[in-house]
Amino acid sequence: MAGLIKTGFTELEGWDEEDHKAAFAAFRHSSSYLLQSPPTSREKSARAQDLLLIAQKAFDCSQDLNAQQARCFFEDNFQPYQLQQHGLLTGYYQPQFEGRRTPDADFCHPLYKRPGDLIPISSKQALAAGFTKETSFARETEQGLAFHLSRSEIMAGGLDGLGLELVWLKDPLDVYIIHIQGSARIVLEDETILRVAFDGKSGHPYQSLGKILIKKGIFSADTITMDGLMAYIKALGDAGSKLLAENPSYIFFKQVQSDGNKLVQDPDQGPVAAAGIPLVAMRSMAVDRHRHTFGLPFWLQTNLPSGENEQTPFNQLVFAHDTGSAITGAARGDLFVGTGAQAGQLAGRLQQQTAFFCLMPIKRTENAEGS
């Protein structure tokens, strides 16, 4: 297979110490969703049909596999391949902020619902309209498909008066963080929690503020972190808000669940990801959707920041459950680390050189076609 080097489980650092029971539970968790909404095969990745056969086997298994049985399940059904180069692992999380259903003097920065003229499009439609194949949403006009309003246009009031405000936040930086993470819990005035999730984007290509600031000499590639970037923007005040507008991509949201009267309910239960699977903290990863098939297991070998100047080995199975416009390339992952401020601190610091191993399904049916 191009770009992949066949290896063995004995070559995976830390494989013997992995919590295979927990890894199997995460794979089985995703299996029912994969079977309901089969993923599309990727040209340079696994055939979806082979993966679905294994997902069905996992779904049919008892949930009480012991550690040895779970280990055998992976070793019997997958073949590890190392990606030729070390890659980059970052992290994302589900933030939690205060918000209000109606605006006031403090809460005056909205998350918007998706406009009615913004529609999902296929990569074929995107290319036909002159966009890149990564463009997944566009504005439907009489003249054809077009980008919707940019971030700067929306921040200047381009959607005012359309009744699209979903919830109001205190700080434009809170809004931007939710845009980057793609979901959030919003604590309302009565202490109920409104859960919001991605529901579309303006179509404009994503521009990394980190890369913009590196070009300006504010940060270097070695020193920039999400925490540092957000702190720098916040310290700029109004100028920081203007800096946000340099990323023209804009994200729209929908309400997905109210958690009742508890501030936090099941904090490890993440939002529903692009694969239609609720994210599992430290087991779900966003990948380049154009390179990898949703549901695939990956073995990661890296270190995670655990103190101010400390790192802890992280050798673990994770699963391709999500994607993102900034996640490009075969050896590139974005690990979902959980919900809340502590998870946000880890996500903001996580920018690790990582060895990626893809666990490819062992083919059982040579004549089966991918879905």
Side-chain angles (χ1 to χ4, degrees), residues 84-129:
Q84 285 189 344
Q85 77 249 17
H86 279 201
L88 176 66
L89 181 70
T90 53
Y92 71 116
Y93 74 112
Q94 184 173 228
Q96 181 166 293
F97 295 114
E98 286 187 83
R100 298 290 183 266
R101 284 291 197 178
T102 56
D104 59 29
D106 293 322
F107 294 85
C108 54
H109 302 283
L111 290 179
Y112 285 107
K113 294 179 285 188
R114 173 153 52 107
D117 56 354
L118 183 66
I119 61 170
I121 62 173
S122 66
S123 57
K124 184 177 180 180
Q125 288 175 299
L127 292 173

Side-chain angles (χ1 to χ4, degrees), residues 268-290:
D268 288 332
Q269 179 67 63
V272 176
I277 299 167
L279 294 173
V280 179
M282 308 306 289
R283 293 287 181 180
S284 294
M285 184 173 72
V287 298
D288 185 340
R289 183 66 178 111
H290 299 281

